Amino acid sequence: MPIQLAGNVKHGGLYETAFGISLDQLVNAIGGGTASGRPVKAVQVGGPLGAYIPPSQFDLPFDYDAYAAADALIGHGGIVVFDDSADMGAMARFAFQFCAAESCGKCTPCRIGSTRGVKLVDRIRGGGKPRPTRSKRCPRCTTPARPRSRAEDLQLLEDLCETMQLGSLCALGGFTPYPVRSALKHWPEDFER
Ligand code: SF4
């Protein structure tokens, strides 16, 4: 399997390895750990829409079935290493941003969902605009909307990911939830306000 090791890694480059090799071997034995010398925080496997994997799962064998079982994907074999200074909430936002920039616009989950995702991550992290009142969104409605709670925004993020994964016409929109969900699952603290 051809592997591309990139990001914050000491010995980045192109390698050919056997399937079944662990991420620990790939990142630490072959890649030499981070170029910064700081601990590894995450690796993204499979390209810009691959899942982020924490060091606690570095025994994962490089194998299609094993990755699928771990809600991840091998994709084109790209591995990007991040040290412990990485902000995984920002990386989740970047996934939506990347999807919005690359979207061809043919289907709604990808075209609209990616843009909504950027705003939603901003709001969850406390950097976005507050939710507009109902009267502002619809001039005929006079009932002011209560602000959405953080738990409701997180549920909305999960619903958005599900809609994009199941409703997008191709892998761009369909795979965007991988980096978003994995970042939220493994580093929820990076989504705090
Ligand atoms: S998911 Fe694919 S087909 Fe749909 S808008 Fe995105 S790029 Fe186009």
Side-chain angles (χ1 to χ4, degrees):
M1 174 76 187
I3 306 271
Q4 311 104 57
L5 264 181
N8 191 340
V9 66
K10 206 175 280 175
H11 308 302
L14 298 174
Y15 299 90
E16 188 173 345
T17 71
F19 276 103
I21 190 171
S22 70
L23 263 179
D24 183 52
Q25 288 172 294
L26 282 167
V27 173
N28 293 317
I30 295 177
T34 62
S36 63
R38 298 175 66 97
V40 176
K41 180 169 182 174
V43 293
Q44 187 178 35
V45 182
L49 298 180
Y52 290 104
I53 299 174
S56 60
Q57 294 185 352
F58 270 18
D59 57 348
L60 201 60
F62 213 72
D63 172 278
Y64 287 105
D65 293 335
Y67 271 65
D71 288 328
L73 48 98
I74 282 181
H76 57 54
I79 297 177
V80 182
V81 182
F82 297 82
D83 74 11
D84 62 352
S85 65
D87 176 350
M88 302 313 291
M91 297 318 297
R93 184 186 194 275
F94 171 72
F96 280 127
Q97 218 177 5
F98 176 82
C99 181
E102 297 293 326
S103 175
C104 78
K106 186 174 178 181
C107 65
T108 310
C110 170
R111 186 183 70 247
I112 306 292
S114 54
T115 305
R116 291 288 185 195
V118 172
K119 291 180 179 173
L120 189 51
V121 171
D122 281 346
R123 204 165 64 217
I124 289 169
R125 284 160 53 88
K129 289 181 185 170
R131 185 188 185 203
T133 61
R134 200 181 302 280
S135 57
K136 199 171 176 187
R137 286 181 291 156
C138 170
R140 280 173 295 182
C141 180
T142 53
T143 312
R146 65 178 175 82
R148 215 181 260 124
S149 70
R150 176 177 168 78
E152 287 171 315
D153 271 343
L154 288 171
Q155 182 57 52
L156 191 61
L157 183 62
E158 174 50 34
D159 291 348
L160 177 61
C161 285
E162 188 180 332
T163 301
M164 290 181 72
Q165 186 172 14
L166 301 178
S168 295
L169 286 176
C170 82
L172 184 78
F175 283 6
T176 297
Y178 278 102
V180 175
R181 277 180 169 143
S182 56
L184 183 59
K185 178 179 174 186
H186 299 297
W187 300 276
E189 65 280 5
D190 286 1
F191 288 76
E192 297 292 337
R193 289 165 199 265

